[in-house]
mmCIF file of all heavy atoms in Angstrom:
data_model
loop_
_atom_site.group_PDB
_atom_site.id
_atom_site.type_symbol
_atom_site.label_atom_id
_atom_site.label_comp_id
_atom_site.label_asym_id
_atom_site.label_seq_id
_atom_site.Cartn_x
_atom_site.Cartn_y
_atom_site.Cartn_z
ATOM 1 N N MET A 292 69.807 38.164 107.409
ATOM 2 C CA MET A 292 70.311 38.066 108.771
ATOM 3 C C MET A 292 71.516 38.981 108.916
ATOM 4 O O MET A 292 72.416 38.984 108.070
ATOM 5 C CB MET A 292 70.686 36.634 109.120
ATOM 6 C CG MET A 292 71.044 36.464 110.592
ATOM 7 S SD MET A 292 70.852 34.753 111.122
ATOM 8 C CE MET A 292 70.940 34.960 112.902
ATOM 9 N N ILE A 293 71.521 39.752 109.998
ATOM 10 C CA ILE A 293 72.575 40.732 110.226
ATOM 11 C C ILE A 293 73.161 40.518 111.611
ATOM 12 O O ILE A 293 72.423 40.423 112.597
ATOM 13 C CB ILE A 293 72.011 42.166 110.127
ATOM 14 C CG1 ILE A 293 71.475 42.426 108.712
ATOM 15 C CG2 ILE A 293 73.067 43.193 110.515
ATOM 16 C CD1 ILE A 293 70.608 43.667 108.628
ATOM 17 N N PHE A 294 74.476 40.428 111.692
ATOM 18 C CA PHE A 294 75.198 40.403 112.959
ATOM 19 C C PHE A 294 75.928 41.725 113.103
ATOM 20 O O PHE A 294 76.704 42.103 112.238
ATOM 21 C CB PHE A 294 76.203 39.245 113.002
ATOM 22 C CG PHE A 294 75.580 37.882 113.021
ATOM 23 C CD1 PHE A 294 75.362 37.187 111.842
ATOM 24 C CD2 PHE A 294 75.208 37.288 114.218
ATOM 25 C CE1 PHE A 294 74.797 35.927 111.849
ATOM 26 C CE2 PHE A 294 74.639 36.024 114.240
ATOM 27 C CZ PHE A 294 74.427 35.344 113.055
ATOM 28 N N THR A 295 75.678 42.440 114.205
ATOM 29 C CA THR A 295 76.285 43.761 114.343
ATOM 30 C C THR A 295 77.797 43.701 114.523
ATOM 31 O O THR A 295 78.485 44.688 114.295
ATOM 32 C CB THR A 295 75.662 44.533 115.518
ATOM 33 O OG1 THR A 295 75.848 43.780 116.734
ATOM 34 C CG2 THR A 295 74.182 44.769 115.288
ATOM 35 N N SER A 296 78.318 42.551 114.922
ATOM 36 C CA SER A 296 79.768 42.418 115.078
ATOM 37 C C SER A 296 80.488 42.298 113.743
ATOM 38 O O SER A 296 81.712 42.468 113.678
ATOM 39 C CB SER A 296 80.084 41.172 115.909
ATOM 40 O OG SER A 296 79.733 40.001 115.181
ATOM 41 N N ASN A 297 79.716 41.954 112.693
ATOM 42 C CA ASN A 297 80.284 41.704 111.360
ATOM 43 C C ASN A 297 81.253 40.535 111.330
ATOM 44 O O ASN A 297 82.023 40.389 110.383
ATOM 45 C CB ASN A 297 80.983 42.960 110.816
ATOM 46 C CG ASN A 297 80.003 44.079 110.540
ATOM 47 O OD1 ASN A 297 78.927 43.850 110.000
ATOM 48 N ND2 ASN A 297 80.361 45.287 110.926
ATOM 49 N N LYS A 298 81.220 39.716 112.371
ATOM 50 C CA LYS A 298 82.071 38.532 112.368
ATOM 51 C C LYS A 298 81.458 37.459 111.470
ATOM 52 O O LYS A 298 80.234 37.365 111.344
ATOM 53 C CB LYS A 298 82.200 37.975 113.786
ATOM 54 C CG LYS A 298 82.889 38.897 114.772
ATOM 55 C CD LYS A 298 82.861 38.314 116.171
ATOM 56 C CE LYS A 298 83.470 39.284 117.175
ATOM 57 N NZ LYS A 298 83.357 38.777 118.567
ATOM 58 N N PRO A 299 82.273 36.626 110.829
ATOM 59 C CA PRO A 299 81.712 35.540 110.021
ATOM 60 C C PRO A 299 81.067 34.480 110.905
ATOM 61 O O PRO A 299 81.604 34.104 111.937
ATOM 62 C CB PRO A 299 82.927 34.974 109.282
ATOM 63 C CG PRO A 299 84.100 35.341 110.131
ATOM 64 C CD PRO A 299 83.754 36.658 110.775
ATOM 65 N N HIS A 300 79.896 34.021 110.508
ATOM 66 C CA HIS A 300 79.186 32.991 111.254
ATOM 67 C C HIS A 300 78.868 31.838 110.314
ATOM 68 O O HIS A 300 78.308 32.037 109.235
ATOM 69 C CB HIS A 300 77.891 33.539 111.856
ATOM 70 C CG HIS A 300 78.117 34.512 112.968
ATOM 71 N ND1 HIS A 300 78.150 34.141 114.289
ATOM 72 C CD2 HIS A 300 78.339 35.851 112.943
ATOM 73 C CE1 HIS A 300 78.364 35.212 115.036
ATOM 74 N NE2 HIS A 300 78.496 36.259 114.244
ATOM 75 N N GLN A 301 79.210 30.631 110.716
ATOM 76 C CA GLN A 301 78.967 29.439 109.908
ATOM 77 C C GLN A 301 77.683 28.755 110.392
ATOM 78 O O GLN A 301 77.713 27.667 110.954
ATOM 79 C CB GLN A 301 80.167 28.492 110.006
ATOM 80 C CG GLN A 301 81.497 29.133 109.678
ATOM 81 C CD GLN A 301 81.568 29.655 108.262
ATOM 82 O OE1 GLN A 301 81.036 29.044 107.339
ATOM 83 N NE2 GLN A 301 82.230 30.785 108.075
ATOM 84 N N LEU A 302 76.543 29.425 110.187
ATOM 85 C CA LEU A 302 75.294 28.943 110.768
ATOM 86 C C LEU A 302 74.200 28.707 109.727
ATOM 87 O O LEU A 302 73.045 28.531 110.090
ATOM 88 C CB LEU A 302 74.782 29.962 111.799
ATOM 89 C CG LEU A 302 75.637 30.169 113.041
ATOM 90 C CD1 LEU A 302 75.134 31.377 113.817
ATOM 91 C CD2 LEU A 302 75.597 28.932 113.925
ATOM 92 N N GLY A 303 74.538 28.706 108.467
ATOM 93 C CA GLY A 303 73.528 28.654 107.412
ATOM 94 C C GLY A 303 72.485 27.561 107.576
ATOM 95 O O GLY A 303 71.289 27.819 107.674
ATOM 96 N N ARG A 304 72.915 26.320 107.615
ATOM 97 C CA ARG A 304 71.971 25.208 107.706
ATOM 98 C C ARG A 304 71.242 25.187 109.041
ATOM 99 O O ARG A 304 70.067 24.843 109.112
ATOM 100 C CB ARG A 304 72.700 23.879 107.498
ATOM 101 C CG ARG A 304 73.106 23.627 106.064
ATOM 102 C CD ARG A 304 73.661 22.230 105.903
ATOM 103 N NE ARG A 304 74.021 21.931 104.533
ATOM 104 C CZ ARG A 304 74.546 20.780 104.134
ATOM 105 N NH1 ARG A 304 74.790 19.816 105.032
ATOM 106 N NH2 ARG A 304 74.838 20.585 102.872
ATOM 107 N N ALA A 305 71.921 25.545 110.105
ATOM 108 C CA ALA A 305 71.298 25.538 111.423
ATOM 109 C C ALA A 305 70.175 26.557 111.519
ATOM 110 O O ALA A 305 69.231 26.381 112.290
ATOM 111 C CB ALA A 305 72.350 25.816 112.491
ATOM 112 N N LEU A 306 70.266 27.617 110.715
ATOM 113 C CA LEU A 306 69.294 28.696 110.816
ATOM 114 C C LEU A 306 68.044 28.484 109.985
ATOM 115 O O LEU A 306 66.986 29.028 110.305
ATOM 116 C CB LEU A 306 69.942 30.016 110.379
ATOM 117 C CG LEU A 306 71.063 30.542 111.267
ATOM 118 C CD1 LEU A 306 71.657 31.802 110.658
ATOM 119 C CD2 LEU A 306 70.560 30.831 112.661
ATOM 120 N N THR A 307 68.128 27.712 108.915
ATOM 121 C CA THR A 307 66.999 27.629 107.987
ATOM 122 C C THR A 307 65.686 27.179 108.632
ATOM 123 O O THR A 307 64.629 27.697 108.261
ATOM 124 C CB THR A 307 67.328 26.729 106.781
ATOM 125 O OG1 THR A 307 67.747 25.448 107.241
ATOM 126 C CG2 THR A 307 68.406 27.351 105.916
ATOM 127 N N PRO A 308 65.673 26.256 109.616
ATOM 128 C CA PRO A 308 64.375 25.898 110.210
ATOM 129 C C PRO A 308 63.685 27.073 110.894
ATOM 130 O O PRO A 308 62.454 27.148 110.896
ATOM 131 C CB PRO A 308 64.742 24.810 111.227
ATOM 132 C CG PRO A 308 66.034 24.240 110.753
ATOM 133 C CD PRO A 308 66.755 25.397 110.153
#
Side-chain angles (χ1 to χ4, degrees):
M292 188 158 193
I293 297 166
F294 293 93
T295 59
S296 68
N297 293 317
K298 296 175 184 176
H300 290 267
Q301 307 298 323
L302 295 169
R304 287 187 178 179
L306 294 177
T307 55

